[in-house]
Amino acid sequence: MHIRRSPEEIAANRARYEEHQRKGLDFAPKALPGFSPLPAPAIDAASIIHREVIPGGWYDAMKVKAGETLRISLDHGFSSLALIAWSAADPSERLNLPDTVKMQWTTGLSKGRVIFSDMGRVMFSITEDSSGAHDCLVGGSSAASNARYGDPMLRDTRDNFVKLALKIGLNRRDIPAMLTLFAPVRVDAEGRFFWNPTLLNGADYIDLRAEMDMTVGFSNCPHPLDPNPAYAPNPVTITRFNAGPVAADDLCRTATAEAVRGFENNALASL
């Protein structure tokens, strides 16, 4: 159905677009830092809210409040961990990787970048990251990708997330595209995906600061491009802790014009 818009509405939409364009052109993006140092710095015990370990092949969901940080760390050896998220206030608002990539002009999500929802709000800030080896293009494993292991009973991320969604009152249509942490997927000159293990550093970690109240889901299964011929995901540690006050010049909140607008949207939603 074609919707006719008034000249006034068209003019207002154009003015809003031109203002966003002007802000983007006038804004000089801040240079991002290098990767976070290893080993991971200790977390103050008084700030820790909860810690758990997700075994290889398993999944879990947790509630996270704005201002808390999730440290996801490979304390037990290598594994790739898939992540999805929904707003706690309205689960129809969910993690949106296409917008995250498009609005920041990069698939390289690392320290200083943010992760957007499909409502243009910021869900996570990446405040620390030791590798930058995260995949937002390929997606998680399935029964078909697990067929190479020769055992139909092995768990996969697609089925894990369907089960997780059902347990929290959602269904498979509510599952967004997933971000896979510690999955060093890159694109070669021919446009083909490949696995680049040189990006990994062993006991890697990433800190994700929550910018809204959320339900976050995890699946600890091998990535479809992982070249290991064995199904051998190691346990992954997730530590939830209070992040403390955020500085006015916080890198994630000020690095790009798109991030600034995303946090403005967060503020408007809280009014």
Side-chain angles (χ1 to χ4, degrees), residues 41-140:
I43 301 171
D44 179 8
S47 70
I48 295 176
I49 302 167
H50 179 68
R51 175 175 283 145
E52 66 180 271
V53 176
I54 300 180
W58 287 84
Y59 64 93
D60 200 5
M62 64 177 63
K63 300 288 187 181
V64 183
K65 293 186 176 296
E68 297 175 352
T69 289
L70 297 176
R71 172 168 294 176
I72 303 165
S73 52
L74 302 183
D75 302 331
H76 305 275
F78 174 71
S79 208
S80 295
L81 188 74
L83 176 152
I84 53 178
W86 300 269
S87 164
D90 180 0
S92 68
E93 180 177 8
R94 64 199 74 174
L95 180 147
N96 189 305
L97 285 181
D99 283 357
T100 295
V101 169
K102 177 177 64 178
M103 289 193 283
Q104 295 175 105
W105 299 95
T106 182
T107 59
L109 301 182
S110 189
K111 184 176 180 178
R113 299 297 184 191
V114 298
I115 300 172
F116 286 92
S117 78
D118 54 8
M119 298 297 289
R121 299 201 296 156
V122 178
M123 301 190 88
F124 291 107
S125 292
I126 305 175
T127 57
E128 299 291 346
D129 176 36
S130 66
S131 72
H134 314 300
D135 171 40
C136 54
L137 297 173
V138 174

Side-chain angles (χ1 to χ4, degrees), residues 169-182:
L170 303 175
N171 61 50
R172 67 182 64 209
R173 291 176 297 179
D174 297 306
I175 301 171
M178 65 200 69
L179 171 65
T180 308
L181 305 174
F182 316 116

Side-chain angles (χ1 to χ4, degrees), residues 183-237:
V185 174
R186 292 297 182 265
V187 182
D188 67 16
E190 303 299 322
R192 295 170 298 198
F193 297 123
F194 72 100
W195 187 267
N196 184 1
T198 63
L199 300 176
L200 300 168
N201 304 298
D204 279 312
Y205 69 100
I206 186 171
D207 285 2
L208 302 176
R209 184 179 66 211
E211 305 295 353
M212 63 172 73
D213 294 353
M214 288 178 285
T215 301
V216 186
F218 304 96
S219 174
N220 184 8
C221 293
H223 188 276
L225 296 186
D226 187 339
N228 188 346
Y231 183 98
N234 287 298
V236 176
T237 303

Side-chain angles (χ1 to χ4, degrees), residues 11-25:
N13 288 340
R14 178 176 292 277
R16 185 167 61 251
Y17 168 78
E18 290 175 347
E19 175 64 13
H20 285 326
Q21 184 184 53
R22 183 191 64 76
K23 286 183 178 180
L25 292 174

